DNA sequence: GACATATTAGACAAGGCTGTCCAAAAATAT
DNA sequence: ATATTTTTGGACAGCCTTGTCTAATATGTC
């Protein structure tokens, strides 16, 4: 009962009491660490932004290091969970492949790349990744590692079903993500948000290019080996 | 590169030893700011790494803010210059389009994306871009803005010459860069370097995909408008 | 209401960092 | 060799931050 909070503060969303403060500190920590960097962030700021006294922060997380670690693992888990949620909506039996891939890509962007957590995670990794690689080792294997290969499996399935023609599903998956994110990098760096219409345009162009390269009969040159590995459910 | 001192905010023309220290401080500043973030960096560290006394740092740059600004503009200019150098080697009249695009993309990666300055710039922008947008406004317009449209013009030229078939050269340019960088992001975040062989593989896959999407006779669906805008020398 | 637990505000020491001042030493130019 | 400019090391005040401690207050349970 008491360990609940210790293990993971967000499996429930408490609105009062111990757990509520704990969560609110975590969220404020994410915002502040991300905005100011590890060294630039200070506990008073986090406490103020969490609507909590400084001492409470220390009561819950011991010290700055441990708070930071908690923030990182929390954000990481949240991002991964989101990614797999979206992944579950991949169009396995598409009626209109292009349309459905576009919709899928937009979900991916909105819920995993351009949302708050995604932004936080990118900034935290960028600023502290080299200094504390152990903190992000989990993210690397559980995050992109699994998400990408899961996405690759979905593409392999589409290829097996005759919708795509591809050499290496892993490469296709990475390229898909790269294309979809192609036009988001610069705005993301400066915290600018894309309107829904713009996002649709950008995504549409990305998916069209992807499909021109990988559609069943959009080939030319390059030997394409038929995929025939174990496919997931 | 030599004009730097003249252009730069402060002051009078430096003598020889003066200029050497000045540069060494700038480079050390880049390393330390990038490694530790703006707040995390301290002047003593920079002075030590520059092989200079702390007072000398203050003599040259006044205070931390102005040193940081100088570092940013220096790195920015260096990166832009590099980018245009590489851009000048774009294959305008390719004998073997794929091979030459691969070589070009590798130059781009090695000299602009994966080199020290590129890494520094990314980290600085990521960590301080939102807080000091004015510092990077110049980079945005002079850097990606001009590089991308210059690259787009080169692609348009290839299209005009019948090598490619593309809708919008600007989009193609961004997608080209996105594909080429697709597999570099994660390693870059953790400061890992790719071997030359791996880089070649990764780049080859990217260019192959790009060309499958945009080669003259690798089409299907999607109305492709012939480009006919003003072309640069 | 009584009790236990969480939370709060504030004070506090220890330490780090910035930016300044200064006098001596070194480098450079004349 | 001498005059001028730069550099150096050290000392310093002022400020901020972390993490601890304490006594008072709030919250929730029985």
């Amino acid at each position: 009962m008491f360990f609940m909070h210790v293990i993971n503060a967000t499996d429930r969303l408490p609105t009062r009491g111990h757990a509520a403060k704990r969560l609110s500190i975590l969220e404020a920590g994410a915002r502040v660490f991300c905005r100011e960097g590890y060294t630039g962030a200070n506990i008073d700021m986090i406490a103020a932004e969490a609507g909590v006294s400084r001492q409470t922060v220390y009561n819950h997380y011991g010290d700055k290091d441990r708070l930071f670690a908690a923030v990182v693992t929390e954000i990481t888990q949240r991002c991964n969970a989101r990614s797999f949620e979206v992944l579950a909506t991949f169009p396995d039996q598409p009626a209109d492949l292009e349309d459905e891939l576009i919709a899928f890509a937009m979900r991916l962007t909105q819920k995993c790349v351009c949302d708050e957590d995604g932004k936080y995670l990118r900034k935290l990794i960028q600023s502290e990744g080299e200094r504390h690689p152990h903190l992000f080792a989990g993210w690397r294997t559980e995050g992109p590692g699994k998400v990408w290969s899961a996405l690759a499996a979905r593409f392999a399935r589409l290829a097996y079903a005759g919708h795509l023609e591809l050499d290496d599903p892993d490469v296709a998956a990475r390229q898909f993500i790269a294309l979809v994110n192609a036009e988001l990098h610069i705005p993301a760096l400066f915290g600018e948000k894309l309107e829904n219409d713009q996002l649709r345009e950008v995504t549409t162009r990305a998916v069209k290019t992807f499909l021109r390269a990988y559609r069943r009969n959009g080939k030319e040159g390059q030997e394409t080996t038929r995929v025939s590995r174990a496919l997931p459910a």
Side-chain angles (χ1 to χ4, degrees), chain A:
Chain A
M1 168 74 162
F2 175 70
F3 312 117
M4 291 282 299
H5 329 108
V6 177
I7 292 170
N8 183 351
T10 55
D11 42 11
R12 284 295 139 81
L13 296 175
T15 51
R16 45 176 208 186
H18 196 80
K21 306 240 178 216
R22 197 176 176 84
L23 183 61
S24 130
I25 294 169
L26 213 55
E27 308 248 355
R31 279 193 301 274
V32 176
F33 277 128
C34 168
R35 203 172 57 227
E36 318 282 342
Y38 178 81
T39 323
N42 73 8
I43 304 287
D44 296 273
M45 228 183 272
I46 294 173
E49 207 157 319
V52 143
S53 83
R54 177 176 62 238
Q55 187 57 44
T56 301
V57 176
Y58 282 104
N59 288 343
H60 277 276
Y61 292 98
D63 62 16
K64 196 179 177 183
D65 271 328
R66 270 180 286 173
L67 173 58
F68 183 69
V71 164
V72 170
T73 65
E74 171 71 14
I75 302 278
T76 299
Q77 287 181 4
R78 239 189 273 169
C79 282
N80 288 353
R82 273 275 181 75
S83 299
F84 280 101
E85 264 175 44
V86 172
L87 214 58
T89 71
F90 187 89
D92 279 314
Q93 286 145 3
D96 182 326
L97 182 57
E98 184 175 298
D99 275 0
E100 295 184 37
L101 267 186
I102 290 172
F104 172 74
M106 282 182 69
R107 285 192 294 275
L108 206 63
T109 301
Q110 288 173 318
K111 298 199 180 165
C112 305
V113 180
C114 284
D115 68 326
E116 289 276 277
D117 287 341
K119 193 181 113 189
Y120 290 166
L121 191 53
R122 271 196 310 278
K123 282 200 74 170
L124 294 177
I125 292 174
Q126 179 82 258
S127 58
E128 306 298 328
E130 269 183 272
R131 199 198 317 262
H132 309 292
H134 62 283
L135 275 181
F136 299 96
W139 167 77
R140 244 181 125 170
T141 57
E142 300 302 307
K146 293 208 171 146
V147 172
W148 290 0
S149 67
L151 184 59
R154 299 308 191 107
F155 279 130
R157 209 180 197 191
L158 283 184
Y160 189 73
H163 293 98
L164 299 178
E165 185 160 33
L166 38 81
D167 240 14
D168 181 333
D170 290 289
V171 170
R174 285 194 291 267
Q175 291 181 339
F176 179 79
I177 291 178
L179 283 171
V180 167
N181 292 340
E183 321 212 17
L184 304 175
H185 279 138
I186 304 287
L189 282 175
F190 292 90
E192 296 159 14
K193 282 215 137 187
L194 247 56
E195 295 305 319
N196 223 306
D197 294 351
Q198 296 173 293
L199 178 61
R200 175 171 297 280
E201 275 178 42
V202 165
T203 310
T204 300
R205 291 198 288 260
V207 171
K208 275 181 191 279
T209 297
F210 181 80
L211 287 181
R212 273 207 307 282
Y214 284 119
R215 226 194 232 291
R216 185 97 180 86
N217 43 1
K219 99 247 69 212
E220 196 263 334
Q222 190 156 62
E223 64 302 348
T224 49
T225 322
R226 185 54 162 281
V227 174
S228 63
R229 51 136 107 175
L231 297 174

